[in-house]
């Protein structure tokens, strides 16, 4: 009987330690950087996201503001902006981007 209590007590003490290790591992996985796929289709979709965001805002926005409002990364926003700049759809003024 005493052996069962000792085993149970040891298991109870080990459980928080295992849980902490599991949480740390989860944080490491969550911190892993996402891979950005670059092809005409995905960049075109990001350009659409950027365009729709600028159209809805009806004012000039910074790249960070565009990315936040479109719920995309800064890199994706820059890819979309490059596409739109090439097409002449947007213009840059004082570090802000607006529809042309």
């Amino acid at each position: 009987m005493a052996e069962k209590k000792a085993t149970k007590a040891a298991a109870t003490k080990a459980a928080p330690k295992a849980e902490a290790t599991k949480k740390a591992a989860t944080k490491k996985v969550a911190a892993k950087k996402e891979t950005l796929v670059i092809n005409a289709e995905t960049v075109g979709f990001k350009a659409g996201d950027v365009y729709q965001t600028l159209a809805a805002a009806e004012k000039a926005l910074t790249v960070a503001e565009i990315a936040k409002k479109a719920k995309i990364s800064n890199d994706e926003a820059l890819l979309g902006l490059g596409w739109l700049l090439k097409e002449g759809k947007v213009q840059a003024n004082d570090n802000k981007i607006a529809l042309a």
Side-chain angles (χ1 to χ4, degrees):
M1 182 82 153
E3 187 177 309
K4 284 184 182 180
K5 285 183 181 180
T7 306
K8 187 175 182 180
T12 305
K13 287 180 182 178
K17 207 179 262 187
E19 188 65 32
T21 304
K22 184 178 178 183
K23 285 181 181 179
T26 304
K27 285 182 182 178
K28 286 180 184 177
V29 171
K32 188 176 179 182
K33 192 166 184 176
E34 212 175 287
T35 303
L36 181 62
V37 177
I38 300 175
N39 60 39
E41 184 177 10
T42 57
V43 176
F45 282 125
K46 299 309 170 192
D49 293 341
V50 170
Y51 190 89
Q52 292 298 323
T53 301
L54 287 169
E58 297 180 347
K59 65 178 183 174
L61 300 172
T62 65
V63 173
E65 291 171 332
I66 293 168
K68 185 177 179 179
K69 289 180 185 251
K71 298 178 183 162
I72 58 178
S73 70
N74 281 354
D75 292 340
E76 292 169 328
L78 289 170
L79 282 171
L81 283 170
W83 180 294
L84 294 170
L85 279 167
K86 179 70 176 169
E87 290 184 344
K89 304 277 184 180
V90 294
Q91 57 188 6
N93 294 323
D94 300 327
N95 293 328
K96 292 198 174 192
I97 312 295
L99 293 178

